[in-house]
Amino acid sequence: MKPKQQRLILAIIALVAIVGSGLLAMSAIGDRASYFYSPADIAKNGIPQGQAIRLGGMVMKNSIFRAPDGVTITFIVHDGPAEVNVRFKGIPPDLFREGSGVVAEGMFEGRTFVATNLLAKHDERYMPPQMDGKQHKTTTLAQ
């Protein structure tokens, strides 16, 4: 076999290996990608019963109600015209409030989405509550 043919065969093998590893990486990323359904998606495509999903949208104003047990809350997630009732038992994140974005992980029980985890979303202008609009003194350590 001539050196030119050997280089061609090695180049083809390298190309196949690169394409194969790229396809493998894409399939692994596809399995781990975190997508969420919006209330409009649910209204359009139906409720996926018994399947763990993520539901994302905005928490509707005046929709958060706390149960007497102190740990269960119900609220409505919307994305415009479509709405989904959500029930969550646990301590919500600090950023969770009416009018803010939320991604809830869980599954549907009937027409109610039962969340096992809440992820509060914030915009790019987020500031921690203790820094919001307040001037803070900075302290320096004496050497």
Side-chain angles (χ1 to χ4, degrees):
M1 198 180 312
K2 294 182 182 177
K4 189 174 185 177
Q5 290 174 330
Q6 288 177 343
R7 283 193 303 266
L8 180 62
I9 290 173
L10 284 174
I12 290 172
I13 291 172
L15 183 64
V16 168
I18 289 171
V19 169
S21 63
L23 290 173
L24 257 165
M26 287 173 51
S27 73
I29 288 172
D31 291 343
R32 301 226 187 264
S34 297
Y35 300 109
F36 62 83
Y37 292 89
S38 70
D41 294 336
I42 302 293
K44 180 180 175 187
N45 301 326
I47 298 172
Q49 293 290 332
Q51 176 185 353
I53 63 167
R54 287 183 170 189
L55 171 71
M58 301 296 286
V59 179
M60 185 177 281
K61 298 270 187 197
N62 302 316
S63 73
I64 298 177
F65 295 101
R66 300 190 185 282
D69 66 5
V71 292
T72 304
I73 59 173
T74 58
F75 57 96
I76 298 173
V77 173
H78 73 99
D79 65 349
E83 301 174 353
V84 173
N85 292 322
V86 179
R87 183 175 68 234
F88 174 69
K89 187 171 189 171
I91 300 170
D94 290 338
L95 294 175
F96 176 78
R97 61 182 58 95
E98 294 172 342
S100 68
V102 68
V103 174
E105 298 174 333
M107 64 180 56
F108 278 95
E109 287 182 5
R111 300 201 55 79
T112 300
F113 187 79
V114 179
T116 56
N117 190 22
L118 292 181
L119 306 168
K121 296 175 13 177
H122 60 80
D123 61 11
E124 66 278 355
R125 296 171 289 145
Y126 171 72
M127 230 181 227
Q130 58 267 43
M131 297 290 292
D132 190 21
K134 297 178 184 173
Q135 296 273 335
H136 292 282
K137 289 189 218 176
T138 56
T139 2
T140 57
L141 298 174
Q143 297 198 359

